[in-house]
């Protein structure tokens, strides 16, 4: 019978003092110096603890004992356990980030991770709605009704109109909305701020929410939060995901998530003639390569239409 997998915390506590301290210092650097999100720091720490747990089993007692053999052995073990290419690529990137930091911090004589190659992650084309399907989803909430229906309507409109992430949507405050210019101020990854425009349908949904819906849900815990849950607190991402899924299902549309609406917005912008740099800025992508995947979505859609319609396809 195989041994049960230990938690990240248990493996962290079992590390030698020197290895454990390096994990804690690295996490502190990510959070305070690089200003990474809590979720990102947690992911890096999980990968690093996995690596150092493996290294300890190979006889390493401090970061200085790490070498390329240990790193490659770790990835090889993960592969035998069934890790996907994308997972291996991510973990290799985590290892390189750690060894680069450790070298700069004087914990490693050389950056051993710089030699580490990783399998190229296969990038799946994101699932997107057609423009007419997105229109059906936006219209599925109706124009009136309860405070919650007003809230749900503005959630869908803003996600599709702006292409912002679900965490960015939930983090919006009242002061982040500029109705005169029809833009919102968004705090994205790495605490980078950007301004994103939205259209008239989203503005009408916002007006109704602020005039009718929000006052009905607001309470002592509402603060400056733009979007509220049924108990008056800030709307949570899990609720937004449920809103999007429920309305798509009720409208008879393909399964979609908030991130799917972000993909849809980007694809429709490019299909409408927007250039890549503009879409990159709107989405808050640090690298243009992250935005270029949407050109593949448009090309795939064009190719599918060609195969279906052209007599010699």
């Amino acid at each position: 019978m195989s041994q049960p997998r230990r938690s990240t915390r248990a493996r962290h506590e079992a590390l030698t003092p020197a290895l454990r301290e390096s994990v804690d210092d690295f996490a502190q650097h990510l959070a305070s110096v690089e200003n990474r999100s809590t979720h990102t720091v947690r992911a890096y720490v999980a990968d690093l603890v996995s690596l150092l747990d493996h290294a300890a089993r190979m006889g390493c007692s401090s970061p200085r004992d790490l070498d390329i053999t240990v790193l490659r052995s770790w990835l090889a073990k993960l592969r035998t356990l069934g890790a996907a290419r994308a997972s291996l690529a991510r973990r290799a990137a985590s290892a390189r980030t750690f060894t680069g930091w450790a070298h700069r911090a004087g914990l490693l004589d050389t950056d051993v991770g710089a030699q580490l190659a990783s399998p190229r992650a296969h990038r799946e084309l994101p699932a997107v709605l057609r423009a007419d399907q997105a229109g059906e989803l936006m219209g599925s909430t109706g124009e009136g009704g309860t405070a919650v229906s007003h809230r749900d309507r503005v959630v869908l409109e803003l996600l599709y109109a702006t292409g912002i992430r679900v965490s960015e949507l939930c983090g919006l405050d009242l002061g982040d909305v500029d109705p005169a210019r029809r833009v919102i101020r968004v705090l994205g990854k790495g605490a980078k701020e950007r301004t994103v425009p939205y259209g008239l349908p989203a503005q009408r949904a916002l007006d109704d929410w602020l005039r009718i819906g929000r006052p009905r849900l607001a309470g002592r815990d509402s603060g400056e939060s733009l979007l509220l849950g049924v108990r008056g607190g800030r709307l949570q991402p899990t609720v937004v995901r449920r809103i999007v899924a429920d309305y798509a299902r009720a409208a008879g549309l393909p399964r979609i998530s908030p991130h799917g609406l972000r993909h849809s917005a980007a694809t429709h912008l490019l299909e409408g003639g927007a250039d890549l740099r503009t879409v990159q800025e709107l989405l808050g992508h640090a690298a243009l390569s992250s935005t270029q995947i949407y050109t593949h979505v448009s090309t795939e859609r064009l190719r599918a239409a060609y195969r279906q319609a052209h007599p010699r396809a």
Side-chain angles (χ1 to χ4, degrees):
M1 182 179 294
S2 61
Q3 294 294 318
R5 290 183 59 187
R6 293 182 298 161
S7 67
T8 296
R9 175 177 294 182
R11 286 187 291 176
H12 174 268
E13 293 175 350
L15 294 173
T16 66
L19 292 176
R20 190 166 59 246
E21 183 177 352
S22 71
V23 174
D24 297 340
D25 290 347
F26 180 58
Q28 180 66 25
H29 169 80
L30 291 174
S32 61
V33 178
E34 296 194 10
N35 206 20
R36 300 295 186 97
S37 69
T38 302
H39 175 77
T40 299
V41 173
R42 189 183 302 118
Y44 271 112
V45 166
D47 289 342
L48 178 55
V49 168
S50 172
L51 166 61
L52 296 184
D53 176 64
H54 180 79
R57 294 171 188 275
M58 293 183 66
C60 299
S61 59
S62 76
R64 205 170 296 277
D65 297 327
L66 287 176
D67 59 24
I68 189 63
T69 301
V70 172
L71 300 183
R72 287 171 176 162
S73 171
W74 173 60
L75 289 180
K77 179 182 178 183
L78 293 174
R79 185 173 183 179
T80 61
L81 293 175
R85 290 171 64 88
S87 177
L88 291 173
R90 190 205 75 208
R91 292 182 183 225
S94 295
R96 286 191 294 268
T97 301
F98 170 72
T99 59
W101 167 83
H103 176 53
R104 293 190 301 272
L107 302 180
L108 278 172
D109 295 330
T110 60
D111 181 4
V112 296
Q115 310 170 53
L116 184 65
S118 60
R120 188 176 182 87
H122 177 63
R123 301 188 72 182
E124 295 287 343
L125 293 178
V128 298
L129 296 176
R130 300 191 310 268
D132 62 303
Q133 291 175 325
E136 290 179 36
L137 180 60
M138 298 305 109
S140 64
T141 59
E143 293 276 336
T146 66
V148 169
S149 67
H150 282 294
R151 194 255 341 255
D152 293 352
R153 178 178 161 223
V154 79
V155 162
L156 294 177
E157 288 285 1
L158 279 179
L159 283 173
Y160 178 59
T162 63
I164 59 176
R165 302 175 178 92
V166 63
S167 59
E168 295 169 344
L169 176 79
C170 293
L172 290 173
D173 288 333
L174 292 169
D176 294 327
V177 180
D178 183 349
R181 296 191 299 148
R182 289 210 303 273
V183 296
I184 54 173
R185 184 175 64 243
V186 178
L187 192 64
K189 289 186 175 181
K192 293 180 180 178
E193 189 177 289
R194 69 186 190 279
T195 299
V196 184
Y198 58 86
L200 280 172
Q203 183 62 63
R204 286 193 289 267
L206 266 170
D207 289 342
D208 290 344
W209 163 245
L210 294 174
R211 181 173 52 88
I212 304 170
R214 191 180 185 281
R216 296 180 188 173
L217 294 182
R220 64 181 183 180
D221 296 328
S222 301
E224 291 298 305
S225 304
L226 174 65
L227 299 171
L228 306 176
V230 293
R231 296 183 179 179
R234 185 179 293 274
L235 187 64
Q236 297 300 305
T238 52
V239 178
V240 174
R241 294 186 184 97
R242 186 167 67 245
I243 289 169
V244 174
D246 287 350
Y247 278 97
R249 184 169 55 251
L253 297 172
R255 186 175 180 180
I256 197 74
S257 66
H259 211 64
L261 285 181
R262 176 173 163 86
H263 292 322
S264 301
T267 302
H268 299 162
L269 280 167
L270 287 169
E271 289 178 342
D275 63 88
L276 267 177
R277 288 290 182 187
T278 299
V279 177
Q280 177 191 6
E281 185 174 346
L282 289 172
L283 296 181
H285 283 158
L288 189 63
S289 58
S290 299
T291 315
Q292 286 174 327
I293 190 171
Y294 299 112
T295 63
H296 302 317
V297 175
S298 300
T299 302
E300 279 299 311
R301 189 174 282 178
L302 179 63
R303 187 178 291 116
Y306 179 86
R307 285 196 298 262
Q308 181 179 358
H310 199 286
R312 297 183 69 84

